[in-house]
Amino acid sequence: ERQFVFGSRTRTDDPVMAVATPVRRDDGQTMAGLAFAFDADAELTQLLSTATLGKTGETYAFDKDAVLLSNVREPDAVRELGLLRPSEQPALNLQVRDPGGNLATGFQASQDSAVQPRTKMAVAATAGINGQNLDGYRNYRGARVVGAWQWLPEYGFAVGVEMEHREAYRPLDYVRKAFSAVVALVVLTAIAAVFLSDRTTRLQRQFRQTRQLGQYTLERLIGQGGMGNVYLARHAMLARPTAIKLL
């Protein structure tokens, strides 16, 4: 009958994770209790940090009240945004709620954090619904993120993974840019092909006009010099070969 306690406080007011079990006599009566605890901020945060992705990604745990049970990636930045007092740690003090806009860009929340709605991840996870959101939603800082979450009913808390939307889809932006470049290249190639085709048609027409001189058709070049070119020609009526010099 082990009892797991997540997010309790010690006499030093630091968040801890604890395991407790009763010690019973032979007749089943409890005569003592055995428990041990460890620093939740250090141990749990370190464990969850192994799933941290990219430059903006973070993984954290929160309970059924959407209260963080672990630390966040940049606690000092969270304090600068006004979500925590200077001496507070995120664990047990920060809630996974949507401020309504990106606090990092200067947005000022109109509601106190205690009455702000939970983020889409927190709403689903605390309802026991596991899943992900790849379209984007606001996190506890108001930044647009994509995320995935899992509710752990045997422990009574959820684990969520989030990354800012722009970083998550940056590779797709590269693909889009590359695709746009390919499309532009295809369009330019098509325009060049039309231009060259028109130019070739004009040159062929000019060549045909140049080869026909009155009743004479120039067949091939047979000589050239500083004053012009000599062509073997054929008269439309006469059967003998003719040489025509063009200056």
Side-chain angles (χ1 to χ4, degrees), residues 202-222 229-236 242-246:
R202 291 184 181 181
L203 290 175
Q204 290 175 345
R205 187 181 304 115
Q206 293 176 359
F207 180 70
R208 287 194 298 268
Q209 293 174 351
T210 302
R211 292 190 60 185
Q212 191 67 37
L213 297 176
Q215 296 296 317
Y216 292 93
T217 300
L218 304 183
E219 294 186 343
R220 60 185 175 85
L221 180 68
I222 59 176
N229 299 329
V230 180
Y231 293 88
L232 176 64
R234 176 174 50 82
H235 192 273
T242 303
I244 294 182
K245 183 175 183 180
L246 298 180

Side-chain angles (χ1 to χ4, degrees), residues 6 17 38-49 61 69-71 157:
F6 296 92
M17 297 179 63
F38 56 88
D39 187 352
D41 185 24
E43 300 291 341
L44 183 58
T45 299
Q46 182 178 2
L47 177 64
L48 296 177
S49 66
L69 301 178
S70 62
N71 207 339
F157 72 93

Side-chain angles (χ1 to χ4, degrees), residues 62-84:
F62 54 94
D63 64 12
K64 59 182 179 58
D65 296 320
V67 176
L68 281 185
L69 301 178
S70 62
N71 207 339
V72 295
R73 183 166 185 166
E74 298 179 348
D76 290 336
V78 175
R79 296 187 187 96
E80 292 177 0
L81 295 177
L83 296 175
L84 294 171

Side-chain angles (χ1 to χ4, degrees), residues 5-148:
V5 182
F6 296 92
S8 62
R9 295 181 181 273
T10 64
R11 286 176 295 179
T12 60
D13 206 35
D14 295 327
V16 299
M17 297 179 63
V19 178
T21 184
V23 179
R24 294 186 173 90
R25 298 194 302 257
D26 294 338
D27 59 3
Q29 295 296 320
T30 300
M31 64 178 184
L34 178 64
F36 67 90
F38 56 88
D39 187 352
D41 185 24
E43 300 291 341
L44 183 58
T45 299
Q46 182 178 2
L47 177 64
L48 296 177
S49 66
T50 59
T52 298
L53 304 173
K55 296 181 179 179
T56 61
E58 59 181 355
T59 303
Y60 51 83
F62 54 94
D63 64 12
K64 59 182 179 58
D65 296 320
V67 176
L68 281 185
L69 301 178
S70 62
N71 207 339
V72 295
R73 183 166 185 166
E74 298 179 348
D76 290 336
V78 175
R79 296 187 187 96
E80 292 177 0
L81 295 177
L83 296 175
L84 294 171
R85 290 191 291 269
S87 60
E88 284 185 330
Q89 293 295 328
L92 300 185
N93 294 304
L94 182 62
Q95 297 189 35
V96 190
R97 296 184 177 273
D98 180 2
N102 194 340
L103 300 176
T105 60
F107 176 81
Q108 298 292 328
S110 59
Q111 295 178 312
D112 185 76
S113 59
V115 296
Q116 292 171 357
R118 298 178 182 181
T119 67
K120 290 185 177 180
M121 177 180 70
V123 170
T126 54
I129 302 173
N130 304 322
Q132 67 280 328
N133 185 312
L134 302 181
D135 296 327
Y137 62 94
R138 288 188 295 268
N139 66 355
Y140 63 88
R141 292 179 285 108
R144 189 184 182 194
V145 297
V146 297

